[in-house]
Amino acid sequence: MSDAYDYFRSHAIAAVRKARALPPGVSRQKQRTVARVYHLLSREAALKPNVHHLEDFRAARRVERQIGR
């Protein structure tokens, strides 16, 4: 396994846990979507390392930060 896989996977797990803690609603749905993005990025990173996914990761992080507001 690559470091990128582990990194994305840990973010996916944390995002799922955060979504489960939120009350039902729009914020929870957005957080679950962010978790799905992290999961997909981890699956892509497991197949081959690719720096093109960094922009996707940064976009997911921005959305996750906006959910908390």
Side-chain angles (χ1 to χ4, degrees):
M1 283 190 250
S2 70
D3 291 335
Y5 169 79
D6 295 332
Y7 187 71
F8 290 142
R9 182 77 175 164
S10 66
H11 277 285
I13 291 169
V16 168
R17 288 180 180 157
K18 185 176 176 182
R20 288 179 181 164
L22 291 171
V26 176
S27 295
R28 185 177 188 163
Q29 289 301 104
K30 286 182 181 179
Q31 187 65 40
R32 289 186 68 201
T33 303
V34 168
R36 282 190 215 111
V37 169
Y38 288 144
H39 181 70
L40 290 173
L41 288 172
S42 71
R43 290 178 65 188
E44 287 288 325
L47 297 175
K48 61 181 176 185
N50 192 345
V51 295
H52 300 294
H53 296 301
L54 290 177
E55 186 56 39
D56 297 333
F57 175 73
R58 289 180 185 127
R61 292 290 288 175
R62 273 182 285 196
V63 170
E64 189 173 16
R65 279 190 225 114
Q66 290 176 355
I67 292 170
R69 292 180 190 171

